[in-house]
Amino acid sequence: VRKYRRETSEISCCLKYVIFSVNVVFWLLGLGVLAVGIWAWNEKEIFSNVTKLTNIALDPAFILIIIGGITFVIGFTGCIGALRENTCLLAAYAIFLALLLLLEVSCGILVFILKDKGWIKEQATDGLRAFITHYREDPDQQNLIDWIQEDWLQCCGIEGPKDWDSNNYFNCSSRSVGSREACGVPFSCCKRRPHELIKNKQCGYDVRREGYSFDVSKIINEKGCVQAGEEWIERNLILIATCAILSAFLQILGICFAQNLRADIFAQKSKWH
């Protein structure tokens, strides 16, 4: 009888521990991202003063909290559901993956439909304008736009360096109140110099001032970030499509694995009853 019970209680260990091991990674990764987002909010004293939270959709810390939270929940349900052979958690895991996949497909369809109508470009422009306006006010947004301009796209402003005039610190009229950055741009607009060991944080000073004595095109990037972003997408379109298809395939695979494991668990319970 014991031997018969051992044989009938067998569930695919390979399937079970594949789901468990993969989701442990995502669980811990989501927890880490969530912790970083909460830490960033704590450093900005958001929890003690909610009024500091402006334009929440563009707050990098908020985005990290959302991504980390979703990843944590999906990883938790998949990991514990597989380990404990819990059909409810496995069902929740499959539903979460299906909803995420549906959301991604919907976003992809919307992007394809709206790409020629200027809506995406308009949203990107509004987001960059908010980053430029609040530069120096939010360290997370400042670091993000510095990364976009310096490391990712090698660009400056929305359509060009002149867009930085909408920031109080870089506006040319700010010279009258003693701003040294007036009529300039952030250091992240400056072109990289080969073998530069120490970054020059003042390289963008006065570059928009009339009568500037140096060739601006040799010092800063004059291409706007919207145009640079469009060109980057065109260059990497195959890579983006490949990543999207691979992500969708892995999510479908996760849903199938979870459903197969649930079926094995139900089959085992039916044999016992």
Side-chain angles (χ1 to χ4, degrees):
V1 173
R2 289 177 182 174
K3 183 179 179 181
Y4 173 74
R5 286 186 176 179
R6 242 191 332 264
E7 289 174 352
T8 56
S9 64
E10 286 294 329
I11 292 174
S12 175
C13 289
C14 179
L15 185 60
K16 174 179 175 178
Y17 287 106
V18 163
I19 296 175
F20 169 75
S21 57
V22 169
N23 283 282
V24 162
V25 175
F26 279 100
W27 186 13
L28 296 176
L29 182 64
L31 181 61
V33 174
L34 180 63
V36 169
I38 293 173
W39 172 81
W41 264 14
N42 185 60
E43 287 293 303
K44 293 190 291 186
E45 299 179 348
I46 296 296
F47 296 108
S48 58
N49 188 4
V50 184
T51 57
K52 289 184 177 181
L53 193 61
T54 58
N55 209 347
I56 189 172
L58 296 176
D59 185 3
F62 175 74
I63 295 171
L64 287 178
I65 290 173
I66 294 298
I67 294 174
I70 292 172
T71 307
F72 176 82
V73 170
I74 292 176
F76 173 82
T77 53
C79 170
I80 303 301
L83 183 65
R84 302 298 300 172
E85 298 177 7
N86 188 303
T87 55
C88 291
L89 286 177
L90 287 172
Y93 172 70
I95 291 170
F96 287 146
L97 284 182
L99 290 174
L100 186 61
L101 180 62
L102 181 62
L103 179 64
E104 291 170 355
V105 171
S106 301
C107 289
I109 293 171
L110 283 175
V111 167
F112 182 77
I113 293 173
L114 299 172
K115 67 176 182 177
D116 297 325
K117 296 185 178 181
W119 183 83
I120 297 173
K121 185 176 181 179
E122 183 181 333
Q123 295 304 309
T125 300
D126 291 343
L128 285 171
R129 185 176 291 112
F131 285 153
I132 289 173
T133 302
H134 298 291
Y135 192 83
R136 300 284 190 227
E137 297 175 13
D138 188 322
D140 292 332
Q141 292 188 13
Q142 177 179 326
N143 291 334
L144 179 59
I145 195 167
D146 281 339
W147 174 77
I148 291 172
Q149 291 190 144
E150 182 181 19
D151 298 316
W152 182 24
L153 298 176
Q154 289 84 53
C155 58
C156 187
I158 302 168
E159 296 179 355
K162 68 180 185 304
D163 294 312
W164 280 97
D165 210 49
S166 60
N167 181 273
N168 291 332
Y169 293 91
F170 297 98
N171 189 293
C172 289
S173 61
S174 298
R175 186 179 296 277
S176 60
V177 294
S179 174
R180 184 62 187 86
E181 295 174 317
C183 261
V185 293
F187 72 93
S188 54
C189 283
C190 298
K191 291 185 175 180
R192 291 177 176 175
R193 294 183 179 181
H195 311 299
E196 185 180 35
L197 298 178
I198 300 176
K199 190 175 295 182
N200 181 9
K201 299 283 187 177
Q202 300 179 355
C203 58
Y205 283 10
D206 299 323
V207 294
R208 294 188 297 112
R209 178 172 52 84
E210 291 184 11
Y212 188 66
S213 55
F214 298 98
D215 186 359
V216 175
S217 63
K218 294 182 179 179
I219 298 174
I220 64 171
N221 297 301
E222 295 186 289
K223 183 183 293 184
C225 291
V226 171
Q227 180 186 348
E230 290 175 338
E231 293 174 357
W232 184 88
I233 291 173
E234 289 175 2
R235 289 195 309 269
N236 298 277
L237 194 58
I238 295 176
L239 177 62
I240 294 170
T242 303
C243 291
I245 293 170
L246 181 62
S247 175
F249 172 75
L250 291 176
Q251 288 175 66
I252 293 171
L253 200 63
I255 294 169
C256 294
F257 280 2
Q259 291 299 94
N260 286 338
L261 185 57
R262 286 184 71 235
D264 287 349
I265 295 170
F266 279 127
Q268 177 203 20
K269 289 180 177 179
S270 64
K271 287 179 181 179
W272 277 97
H273 295 290

